[in-house]
């Protein structure tokens, strides 16, 4: 029979499977002569009696008669049928095809059939012997299969539970090709959707389609605060099983994740990347930050690593089994080290800009400045033609031929080596042969954000923008102008944006011009007459602005236009804020009208939105409208994937006297599978149900025990605590039986929490079993978590397990990594492992690598504070000040401090001299830290030298961090350098910080000219 089964295994072909019926047939062939009883017995043997892998008859019937099952069931079936592990992917791909026989949303395509051009992969250069419609052979990247955190391992995990991954890399670094290849490799039979914009993503989130790859190349294009892709919408898609894959430039990534500061208004993401946003602004990117923190982020280096280059050489070399790829051969022959950049024509793009005529360079500079300062729409021909003269010298203007613009545009739009062009024409999406504008190649766009960060566009740029820019871009350009001190240009841009109905621009126009001309009512009159009435959030902000400047008459004019009747109701939070502003304005009629509309027409899918509206209706006393809203039964309609929103809604419903709907929502939520993954849901629901419907509470507890999230030990710990606190003792007892042998051990902190949660339950045997497993197998990549686990093991009396874990932790330390040594010492010291500490200290002082200044500083601190004087001497004798790398300014600062504390004056002198001459100065905060340490060490010569270098060389593409350097320069006595840096601030969009020096606030009351002089008095009547 064994030979027959083996024959059946070989003959079944998953590649032919396209439907559930065909899958059932192929699996029956694979099954051979095995009976249901045989399969069930084999599954139990495979699980070792733990019950994790079962094949009951009902499950087998669904599988073998209907071709329906869950992924884990199929994997168990394949295992008991003897299918080798490396062949499972073929069967899982067939299973995926049967589950998604039709596209879940219009416009979706199979991943394996997705076109690389439409997904954003750069067209490669033309080389002899290469087919123009194909891509170069893919060179495997280091991040592809990196264990644990690599791109493809992550995708394999996300295939089973959904997720979001963001690949961070520069233009032409190969990130889009890397991502596409990984998705095609891991998820070839999934459907893929490339959304047109953020609005389509919002529509998808309202009705999540389930298992779908959502392709977001250049993620920044889908982000715009609450109007872009949000973490809440992404979570809904992920929880439904979607895999969101995205790419983003490093500058955007770093800006969105940077620590927030105070703000007067929100600006465009591109503003902060290029220095447009004012440095004293609020958490403008909270929405974007929340989204990025939701994602698994992987960084792709701009240049290929040595290992990647070796792979490329192998693939290009036919003598050693390679494909002889002509693109790779051409790139490897180049002197430029950027392999992917060469294939994407990046060097040719740079040469095109640098070597063009003055007029070609001018229109490219216009395009670059427009993109970095906030223009999202295709750049109009009229804009480039009108703006370009200001980028030319008077002589070049006088000598320009009649066709200067046409020749320059033709030059800029020519494809280079058959690949990209510096400017690419864009149509309107409907009319054939019609060009609406041009976009700059993203490689040049990214490069210009750094190269031109200290350049303020000429007067012609701003006047052209005011006339020829799309209305949606005027507000962002106005912010860019204001933050550079070009107040008059900003006012003109905001005035034009207001004319086109942009209420956010209207609010800026009111507040900013009131500061300049507090007695002039004309800006407020203008905004009240022209502001659009459709956006609730922006309209509320405008009313607030009018109220704060005392423009009561103008606010009345705006209210006379009946905003409550016209405003859209698609943003419940904006509607709530607007209701509050209408109440502040005493517009009771408007409040009543908007409350009535909201109660009858508000979308009921977002529980947080319903809560917000109920709160504000209660505040304004709209009891009848509350009743109308409740009559629409929000408890039956809200989505359940926002656990905090649902829980808050339950409490709010009870607060407004709707106890019945609150109980209905509790019961509805208790029946949802989402509760199985949420300790918050579980605690609230058990508490609610235990009082009114104890049978439902018990049933819910049973469900949780039957399907615990064993891959997440922290979540399991929370659930044990919740169940125990809510009196579900029987269910806790059943759950702990499984925890000790089955819970995942990849999160040491989570395992420590779980041990703590088990202690009140008095599960001594299970604690002992879990402690034994954890000591032998827990992941050691989180030293803080391991330390917490050591503490928990000691608390439960598991001394043997502490010793075993300490032994593993000591062996895990890599002596070539000082940070690893410090982490290992922390773990060993927390366990009181004095012998291992002594051995590690001895070896580290003599052998630790000296390239990382942060790691060496941390190790030196540990040795010094631990009294290991001999080892400190040994480490210092190896001259770390001479050997550490200088590309980490914060690390250098830390090491200078530690060397000073250790009394190593010679080392301090050596490192100070090196830092002053060679420290990488791309991190302003880090430079400030080094200056502080040099000042403490009284190295005045090095302070002056580093201050001079930093002031001259520092790039201005991270303006908020540049501002942090100014006080450090003053404290270091480098007043001249501080003044020089301050002069550079306006170009970086930091005019507010520039104006804080001396009497500039008054001198530059009306802004500045492009030449740096104070602007003359101007007023509303000077605007067009």
């Amino acid at each position: 029979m064994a030979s027959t089964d083996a024959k059946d295994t070989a003959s079944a072909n998953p590649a032919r499977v396209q439907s559930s019926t065909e899958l059932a047939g192929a699996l029956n062939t694979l099954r051979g002569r095995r009976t249901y009883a045989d399969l069930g017995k084999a599954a139990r043997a495979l699980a070792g009696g733990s019950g994790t892998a079962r094949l009951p008859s009902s499950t087998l019937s669904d599988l073998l008669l209907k071709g329906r099952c869950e992924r884990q069931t199929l994997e168990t079936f394949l295992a008991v049928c003897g299918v080798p592990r490396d062949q499972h992917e073929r069967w899982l791909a067939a299973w995926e095809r049967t589950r998604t026989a039709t596209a879940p949303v219009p416009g979706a395509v199979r991943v394996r059939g997705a076109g690389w051009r439409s997904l954003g992969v750069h067209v490669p250069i033309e080389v002899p012997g290469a087919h123009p419609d194909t891509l170069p052979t893919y060179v495997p990247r280091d991040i592809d299969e990196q264990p644990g955190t690599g791109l493809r391992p992550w995708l394999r995990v996300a295939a089973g539970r959904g997720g979001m991954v963001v690949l961070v890399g520069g233009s032409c670094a190969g990130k889009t090709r890397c991502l596409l290849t990984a998705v095609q490799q891991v998820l070839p039979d999934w459907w893929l959707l490339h959304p047109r914009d953020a609005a389509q993503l919002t529509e998808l989130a309202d009705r999540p389609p389930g298992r779908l790859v959502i392709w977001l190349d250049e993620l920044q294009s889908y982000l715009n605060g609450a109007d872009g892709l949000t973490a809440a919408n992404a979570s809904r898609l992920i929880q439904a099983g979607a895999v969101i894959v995205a790419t983003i430039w490093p500058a955007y990534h770093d800006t969105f994740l940077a620590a927030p500061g105070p703000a007067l208004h929100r600006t465009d993401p591109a503003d902060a990347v290029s220095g447009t946003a004012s440095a004293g602004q609020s958490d403008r990117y909270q929405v974007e930050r929340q989204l990025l923190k939701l994602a698994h982020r992987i960084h792709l280096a701009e240049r290929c690593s040595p290992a990647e280059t070796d792979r490329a050489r192998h693939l290009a070399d036919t003598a050693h089994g390679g494909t002889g790829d002509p693109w790779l051969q051409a790139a490897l022959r180049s002197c430029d080290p950027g392999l992917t950049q060469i294939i994407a024509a990046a060097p040719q793009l740079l040469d095109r800009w640098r070597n063009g005529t003055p007029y070609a360079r001018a229109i490219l500079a216009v395009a670059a400045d427009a993109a970095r300062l906030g223009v999202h729409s295709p750049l109009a021909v009229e804009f480039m033609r009108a703006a370009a003269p200001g980028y030319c010298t008077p002589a070049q203007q006088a000598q320009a031929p009649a066709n200067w613009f046409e020749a320059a545009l033709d030059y800029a739009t020519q494809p280079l080596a058959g690949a990209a062009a510096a400017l690419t024409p864009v149509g309107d999406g409907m009319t054939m042969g019609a060009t609406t504008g041009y976009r700059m190649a993203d490689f040049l766009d990214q490069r210009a954000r750094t190269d031109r960060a200290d350049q303020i566009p000429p007067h012609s740029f701003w006047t052209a923008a005011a006339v020829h820019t799309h209305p949606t871009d005027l507000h962002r350009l106005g912010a860019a102008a204001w933050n550079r001190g070009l107040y008059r240009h900003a006012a003109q841009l905001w005035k034009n944006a207001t004319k086109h109905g942009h209420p956010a621009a209207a609010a800026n126009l009111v507040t900013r011009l009131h500061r300049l001309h507090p007695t002039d009512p004309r800006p407020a009159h203008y905004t009240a007459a022209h502001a659009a009435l459709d956006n609730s959030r922006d309209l509320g902000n405008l009313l607030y602005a009018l109220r704060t400047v005392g423009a009561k008459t103008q606010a009345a004019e705006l209210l006379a236009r009946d905003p409550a009747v016209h405003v859209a109701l698609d943003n419940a939070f904006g509607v709530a804020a607007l209701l509050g502003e209408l109440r502040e304005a005493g517009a009771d009629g408007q409040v009543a009208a908007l409350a009535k509309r909201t109660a009858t027409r508000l979308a009921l899918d977002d529980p947080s939105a319903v809560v917000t509206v109920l709160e504000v209706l209660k505040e304004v006393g709209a009891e009848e409208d509350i009743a109308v809203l409740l009559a629409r039964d929000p408890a039956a309609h809200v989505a359940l994937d926002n656990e905090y929103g649902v829980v808050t809604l339950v409490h709010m419903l009870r607060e407004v006297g709707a106890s019945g709907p609150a109980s209905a929502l509790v019961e509805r939520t208790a029946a949802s599978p989402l509760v199985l993954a949420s300790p918050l849901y579980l605690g609230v629901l058990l508490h609610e149900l235990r009082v009114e419907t104890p049978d439902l509470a018990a049933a819910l507890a049973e469900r949780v025990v039957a399907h615990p999230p064993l891959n997440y030990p922290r979540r399991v710990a929370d659930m044990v605590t919740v169940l125990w606190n809510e009196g579900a003792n029987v269910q806790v007892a059943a759950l702990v039986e499984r925890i000790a042998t089955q819970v995942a051990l990849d999160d040491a902190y989570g395992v420590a929490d779980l041990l703590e949660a088990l202690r009140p339950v008095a599960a001594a045997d299970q604690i002992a079993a879990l402690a034994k497993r954890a000591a032998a197998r827990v992941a050691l990549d989180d030293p803080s978590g391991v330390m917490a686990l050591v503490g928990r093991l000691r608390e439960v009396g598991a001394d043997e397990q502490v010793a075993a874990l300490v032994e593993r932790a000591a062996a895990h330390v890599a002596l070539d990594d000082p940070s690893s040594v410090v982490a290992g010492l922390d773990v060993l010291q927390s366990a009181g492992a004095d012998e291992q500490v002594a051995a590690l200290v001895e070896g580290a002082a003599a052998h630790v690598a000296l390239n990382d200044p942060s790691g060496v500083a941390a190790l030196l601190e540990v040795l010094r504070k631990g009294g290991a004087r001999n080892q400190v001497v040994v480490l210092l004798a190896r001259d770390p000040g001479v050997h550490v790398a200088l590309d980490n300014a914060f690390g250098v600062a830390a090491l200078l401090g530690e060397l000073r504390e250790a009394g190593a004056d010679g080392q301090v002198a050596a490192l100070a001299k090196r830092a002053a001459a060679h420290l990488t100065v791309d991190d302003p905060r880090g430079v400030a830290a080094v200056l502080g340490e040099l000042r403490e060490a009284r190295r005045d010569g090095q302070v002056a030298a580093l201050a001079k270098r930093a002031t001259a060389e520092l790039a201005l593409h991270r303006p908020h961090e540049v501002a942090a350097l100014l006080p450090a320069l003053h404290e270091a006595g480098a007043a001249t350098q501080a003044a020089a840096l301050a002069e550079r601030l306006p170009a970086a969009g930091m005019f507010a910080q520039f104006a804080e020096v001396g009497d500039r606030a008054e001198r530059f009351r009306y802004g500045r000219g492009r030449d740096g002089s104070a602007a003359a008095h101007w007023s509303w009547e000077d605007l067009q």
Side-chain angles (χ1 to χ4, degrees):
M1 180 173 165
S3 61
T4 302
D5 290 341
K7 181 178 179 181
D8 293 331
T9 300
S11 63
N13 186 1
R16 298 175 183 173
V17 171
Q18 298 296 329
S19 67
S20 296
T21 302
E22 291 173 344
L23 178 61
L27 293 174
N28 271 298
T29 301
L30 188 63
R31 164 192 173 193
R33 299 182 180 181
R34 299 176 182 89
T35 65
Y36 280 21
D38 293 335
L39 293 168
K41 182 178 179 181
R44 289 191 295 274
L46 184 69
S50 67
T52 56
R54 298 177 60 247
L55 291 177
S57 297
S58 59
T59 299
L60 287 169
S61 294
D62 284 341
L63 178 63
L64 298 171
L65 298 179
K66 302 175 183 178
R68 298 176 186 169
C69 67
E70 294 300 319
R71 180 187 179 100
Q72 183 177 356
T73 299
L74 178 58
E75 291 189 294
T76 300
F77 181 86
L78 295 173
V80 300
C81 288
V83 177
R85 185 69 190 174
D86 60 0
Q87 294 182 25
H88 282 204
E89 286 296 330
R90 298 172 63 231
W91 286 98
L92 292 171
W95 170 75
E96 183 64 41
R97 289 194 296 275
T98 66
R99 296 189 68 192
T100 57
T102 58
V105 291
V109 298
R110 289 286 188 192
V111 167
R112 64 174 179 270
W116 55 270
R117 290 175 186 264
S118 64
L119 296 182
V121 177
H122 285 289
V123 177
I125 59 175
E126 291 180 348
V127 296
H131 194 284
D133 292 325
T134 60
L135 287 172
T137 302
Y138 180 71
V139 178
R141 308 303 294 264
D142 294 341
I143 65 169
D144 286 346
E145 294 289 356
Q146 189 173 350
T149 59
L151 178 55
R152 297 185 190 183
W154 182 89
L155 284 173
R156 294 186 187 102
V157 174
R161 66 187 186 198
M164 179 176 181
V165 64
V166 176
L167 201 54
V168 184
S171 176
C172 298
K175 61 185 183 297
T176 307
R177 177 75 188 282
C178 175
L179 188 60
L180 177 59
T181 304
V183 172
Q184 289 176 332
Q185 171 88 20
V186 179
L187 309 172
D189 292 296
W190 281 50
W191 292 96
L192 178 147
L193 181 70
H194 187 188
R196 63 181 181 275
D197 52 27
Q200 187 177 9
L201 285 169
T202 301
E203 294 170 7
L204 278 178
D206 289 339
R207 296 176 181 81
R211 295 163 67 83
L212 175 72
V213 173
I214 300 176
W215 182 269
L216 305 180
D217 189 43
E218 306 298 355
L219 176 61
Q220 61 267 17
S221 302
Y222 297 89
L223 304 181
N224 185 25
D227 296 328
L229 176 61
T230 64
N233 283 342
S235 294
R236 289 177 188 156
L237 293 165
I238 291 167
Q239 289 172 3
V243 175
I244 304 172
V245 296
T247 65
I248 193 170
W249 292 356
Y252 282 108
H253 172 270
D254 296 346
T255 297
F256 292 147
L257 288 178
L264 296 171
H265 63 275
R266 179 182 181 86
T267 57
D268 182 74
D271 298 343
V273 172
S274 60
T276 304
S278 171
Q281 294 177 349
S282 74
D283 194 355
R284 292 160 299 151
Y285 304 119
Q286 180 182 15
V287 174
E288 290 84 352
R289 184 180 302 107
Q290 289 173 344
L291 177 70
L292 286 175
K293 287 186 175 181
L294 176 71
H296 175 58
R297 303 187 302 278
I298 302 175
H299 291 261
L300 183 66
E302 182 177 350
R303 305 283 182 171
C304 287
S305 70
E308 291 167 345
T309 304
D310 286 343
R311 292 180 207 126
R313 289 195 181 96
H314 178 80
L315 289 168
D317 186 0
T318 55
H320 292 86
T323 62
D325 186 287
W327 282 293
L328 296 180
Q329 291 175 345
L332 290 166
R333 286 195 298 268
S334 172
C335 296
D336 192 303
L339 186 74
T340 58
Q341 287 82 357
I342 293 167
I343 294 175
Q348 291 93 328
L349 286 168
L350 279 177
D351 289 343
R352 200 69 172 171
W353 189 340
R354 293 168 177 166
N355 299 326
T357 66
Y359 317 109
R361 294 198 301 271
I363 67 169
L364 288 174
V366 171
D369 286 345
R372 71 186 179 90
L373 297 179
V375 174
H376 288 181
S377 307
L379 203 60
V381 165
E382 295 81 1
F383 187 162
M384 291 188 287
R385 187 191 298 272
Y391 290 80
C392 299
T393 66
Q396 291 165 348
Q397 294 173 7
Q399 297 167 10
N403 68 338
W404 70 270
F405 181 76
E406 290 75 15
L409 186 60
D410 181 63
Y411 174 89
T413 54
Q414 288 179 10
L416 305 175
L423 292 179
T424 301
V426 179
D428 61 7
M430 296 178 291
T431 309
M432 300 296 290
T435 297
T436 59
Y438 293 84
R439 292 196 188 280
M440 177 166 251
D442 58 3
F443 176 78
L444 292 180
D445 180 6
Q446 178 182 313
R447 183 68 176 257
R449 291 174 190 270
T450 298
D451 291 353
R452 295 189 59 78
D454 59 351
Q455 298 294 310
I456 296 180
H459 174 77
S460 62
F461 174 90
W462 303 105
T463 55
V467 178
H468 300 298
T469 302
H470 193 279
T472 58
D473 296 321
L474 288 168
H475 177 232
R476 288 186 291 269
L477 285 175
W482 186 274
N483 292 334
R484 284 160 177 75
L486 305 178
Y487 290 173
R488 182 170 169 179
H489 284 307
Q492 185 68 66
L493 289 160
W494 283 332
K495 181 180 180 182
N496 292 4
T498 301
K499 182 179 180 181
H500 289 288
H502 200 303
N508 271 337
L509 197 62
V510 168
T511 55
R512 301 306 175 85
L513 292 197
H514 177 77
R515 195 170 78 191
L516 300 182
H517 307 286
T519 61
D520 189 348
R522 289 174 293 180
H525 279 299
Y526 188 86
T527 59
H530 291 90
L533 303 179
D534 56 344
N535 188 307
S536 58
R537 181 189 62 187
D538 289 340
L539 191 55
N541 288 339
L542 177 56
L543 279 170
Y544 174 78
L546 291 169
R547 180 161 60 87
T548 54
V549 302
K552 295 182 179 179
T553 301
Q554 293 77 19
E557 292 172 4
L558 178 60
L559 294 172
R561 296 171 59 199
D562 282 338
V565 176
H566 298 94
V567 72
L569 302 177
D570 56 348
N571 181 349
F573 306 100
V575 170
L578 178 57
L579 278 167
E581 281 301 322
L582 291 172
R583 185 182 58 170
E584 287 287 343
D588 296 339
Q590 292 285 310
V591 169
L594 182 54
K596 183 176 182 179
R597 287 183 64 218
T598 303
T600 57
R601 297 172 55 186
L602 176 74
L604 300 178
D605 56 337
D606 184 349
S608 295
V610 175
V611 169
T612 300
V613 169
L614 282 172
E615 285 177 338
V616 75
L617 290 178
K618 185 180 177 186
E619 287 175 8
V620 300
E623 301 296 335
E624 292 183 4
D625 298 306
I626 290 176
V628 170
L629 179 57
L630 293 176
R632 296 172 58 204
D633 200 5
H637 294 92
V638 293
L640 302 179
D641 52 5
N642 176 355
E643 57 190 60
Y644 180 78
V646 171
V647 169
T648 308
L649 180 56
V650 168
H651 296 314
M652 175 54 67
L653 289 171
R654 295 201 186 283
E655 191 174 321
V656 297
S659 297
S663 298
L665 179 56
V666 168
E667 293 184 14
R668 179 176 163 234
T669 307
S672 167
L674 295 173
V675 74
L676 301 179
S678 169
L680 172 62
Y681 263 163
L682 182 61
V684 171
L685 296 177
L686 283 176
H687 185 76
E688 293 273 347
L689 293 171
R690 188 176 58 167
V691 176
E692 299 183 3
T693 51
D695 290 344
L696 280 178
L700 175 58
E702 293 288 350
R703 284 178 59 219
V704 170
V705 171
H707 304 283
L710 295 173
N711 287 332
Y712 305 95
R714 294 194 205 200
R715 199 175 295 173
V716 174
D718 290 339
M719 287 189 164
V720 168
T721 301
V722 167
L723 289 168
W724 183 258
N725 290 340
E726 294 300 329
N729 299 356
V730 174
Q731 290 81 7
V732 169
L735 179 57
V736 297
E737 289 293 334
R738 300 180 60 189
I739 289 173
T741 58
Q742 297 175 34
V743 75
L745 299 174
D746 55 353
D747 176 5
Y749 253 127
V751 176
D753 289 346
L754 186 51
L755 283 169
E756 177 67 15
L758 291 175
R759 291 177 67 189
V761 182
D765 292 342
Q766 289 77 18
I767 289 175
L770 179 58
K772 185 175 181 179
R773 283 183 66 224
R777 296 172 53 191
V778 74
L780 300 174
D781 53 354
D782 179 5
S784 297
V786 175
M787 289 172 62
L789 180 56
V790 166
R792 289 288 181 266
L793 290 172
R794 296 177 73 173
E795 288 172 6
V796 299
D799 295 335
E800 291 184 11
Q801 285 71 36
V802 169
L805 182 56
V806 163
E807 186 175 344
R808 287 184 61 219
H812 185 72
V813 173
L815 282 181
D816 59 349
D817 179 359
S819 297
S820 174
V821 172
V822 171
L825 284 171
D826 286 342
V827 171
L828 298 176
Q829 288 173 339
S830 71
D834 296 338
E835 291 184 9
Q836 288 92 337
V837 168
L840 181 54
V841 163
E842 193 76 30
H847 303 292
V848 73
L850 300 178
N851 58 315
D852 176 12
S854 293
V856 174
L859 177 58
L860 189 55
E861 180 184 18
V862 169
L863 296 176
R864 184 173 55 80
K865 291 183 176 179
R869 296 179 181 177
N870 292 338
Q871 285 72 32
V872 168
V873 171
V874 170
L875 180 57
L876 292 176
R878 297 173 59 205
D879 288 339
V882 176
H883 293 97
V884 293
L886 300 175
D887 56 356
N888 176 354
F890 271 115
V892 171
L895 183 55
L896 280 168
E898 280 304 317
L899 291 172
R900 186 164 49 81
E901 288 289 340
D905 296 338
Q907 291 287 310
V908 170
L911 182 55
K913 184 176 180 180
R914 292 180 64 221
H918 303 294
L919 180 75
T920 302
V921 294
D922 61 350
D923 181 353
R925 295 182 189 275
V927 172
V930 173
L931 285 171
E933 288 296 338
L934 291 174
R935 185 166 57 86
E936 289 292 332
R938 303 185 183 281
R939 311 299 302 184
D940 297 339
Q942 283 78 32
V943 167
L946 179 57
K948 183 176 181 180
R949 279 187 58 229
T951 303
E953 299 174 15
L954 191 67
L956 300 181
H957 61 291
R958 294 192 291 184
H960 302 292
E961 296 185 9
V962 173
L965 182 56
L966 277 174
L969 289 170
H970 282 294
E971 290 172 5
T976 302
Q977 289 79 10
L981 181 59
E983 289 297 326
R984 299 178 64 199
L985 294 180
M990 299 169 64
F991 184 72
Q993 284 68 35
F994 166 84
E996 289 174 358
V997 179
D999 65 345
R1000 288 175 179 169
E1002 184 57 34
R1003 281 199 297 125
F1004 289 88
R1005 175 182 178 84
Y1006 299 102
R1008 71 192 291 272
R1010 187 173 182 270
D1011 62 357
S1013 62
H1017 175 277
W1018 59 272
S1019 63
W1020 180 258
E1021 60 197 20
D1022 294 311
L1023 303 180
Q1024 300 297 315

